[in-house]
Amino acid sequence: QVQLVESGGGLVQTGGSLRLSCAASGSIFSINYMRWYRQAPGKQRELVAYITRGGSTNYADSVKGRFTISRDNAKSTVDLQMNSLNPEDTAIYYCNIEAVVLTSSERQYWGQGTQVTVSS
């Protein structure tokens, strides 16, 4: 059993910054990938960034150079620092992890999402 809680969303103006956080809890044995997705109105959900347990990262081209993903393995948290925001970044941001729990093989788990709105 895994629970994911996102926080940090809000309303900012173009050029502003937000820091999203996701905390994982439950009977977790290990976490491999930790990811941030986003979904804007009328668009498909897209992968924004991911980070592996060893710290390897990957970013969507649209956010490269502006967003930074990080994780704290001891706390089972993953953050997304979002700088130089523009209206195209407006979306609901979801935390996603691949984890092994004590009673299951590796599965993916989703948070409830946090709204990010960037005004022009």
Side-chain angles (χ1 to χ4, degrees):
Q1 297 180 354
V2 174
Q3 297 81 43
L4 301 178
V5 179
E6 300 104 329
S7 62
L11 174 64
V12 298
Q13 296 185 165
T14 297
S17 297
L18 286 173
R19 184 185 177 100
L20 306 183
S21 295
C22 174
S25 62
S27 301
I28 301 172
F29 180 76
S30 64
I31 302 174
N32 187 12
Y33 286 81
M34 303 186 83
R35 307 180 179 94
W36 285 99
Y37 285 83
R38 68 184 182 186
Q39 187 165 27
K43 297 183 179 180
Q44 296 281 358
R45 183 176 60 197
E46 65 174 338
L47 177 65
V48 177
Y50 71 73
I51 183 168
T52 69
R53 184 172 185 83
S56 297
T57 59
N58 188 72
Y59 299 89
D61 289 341
S62 59
V63 307
K64 197 169 299 181
R66 299 187 296 120
F67 292 8
T68 302
I69 189 170
S70 60
R71 66 188 284 172
D72 186 328
N73 291 333
K75 297 180 179 180
S76 297
T77 59
V78 57
D79 291 354
L80 186 68
Q81 179 65 47
M82 309 164 66
N83 299 326
S84 302
L85 288 163
N86 58 63
E88 289 71 44
D89 296 315
T90 296
I92 299 176
Y93 286 71
Y94 297 92
C95 179
N96 167 277
I97 69 169
E98 291 185 6
V100 176
V101 299
L102 296 181
T103 59
S104 179
S105 58
E106 188 176 76
R107 296 285 188 273
Q108 291 193 30
Y109 302 88
W110 290 89
Q112 79 287 345
T114 183
Q115 177 69 51
V116 171
T117 302
V118 186
S119 61
S120 59

